[in-house]
Amino acid sequence: MFAERVSDNALRSVVPGHGCQEAVAVSVLMYTRGYSPVVLGSCPINYRENLSCKLSRFLVDHAECVTAASHELLLDKFGLRTRDLQSLDNDLMMAVAYEELPTTWNILGSCSEASSC
């Protein structure tokens, strides 16, 4: 994982989610070509599965079943209101971007490698 410097004393990075909740330590290292990495700092992070992660995993796992009325299933299954779906757009997009997708998966659902999806 890499970080971007946003000011003299701040870095920004996207920490991709994964399938389990756990406590981990994150360290910031400075690397200069030709020298050994230097640890600048370290801190604990607790991975927690949030609604966006749950939704993205559900959508990826059920992509072939998504229909025009699927939002009603999401509302019921996850206890959402219609206005909640609109506010989840960006978070859900980021969660799907970091999902581990099957090699045959695409925006239209799964397909075999032999077919042209």
Side-chain angles (χ1 to χ4, degrees):
M1 180 168 88
F2 293 92
E4 168 189 17
R5 183 186 300 259
V6 292
S7 70
D8 287 342
N9 61 351
L11 300 172
R12 176 178 51 208
S13 183
V14 174
V15 179
H18 56 284
C20 62
Q21 298 185 69
E22 63 181 342
V24 297
V26 174
S27 299
V28 176
L29 287 83
M30 179 176 65
Y31 173 76
T32 303
R33 192 171 301 183
Y35 296 93
S36 296
V38 176
V39 177
L40 300 177
S42 184
C43 72
I45 291 181
N46 289 315
Y47 275 102
R48 290 179 295 172
E49 186 175 61
N50 62 18
L51 181 58
S52 299
C53 289
K54 289 178 186 177
L55 280 169
S56 69
R57 196 162 299 117
F58 179 83
L59 290 172
V60 168
D61 290 345
H62 297 89
E64 65 280 349
C65 306
V66 174
T67 68
S70 291
H71 67 284
E72 294 172 4
L73 171 67
L74 295 177
L75 293 173
D76 291 340
K77 182 168 182 57
F78 294 98
L80 299 170
R81 298 172 302 220
T82 302
R83 68 174 178 249
D84 295 329
L85 291 177
Q86 294 169 345
S87 65
L88 278 169
D89 279 351
N90 188 56
D91 292 342
L92 185 57
M93 178 193 68
M94 292 301 292
V96 170
Y98 287 98
E99 275 293 325
E100 194 170 313
L101 302 174
T103 56
T104 57
W105 194 90
N106 65 54
I107 194 94
L108 301 175
S110 297
C111 65
S112 69
E113 292 185 18
S115 67
S116 57
C117 291

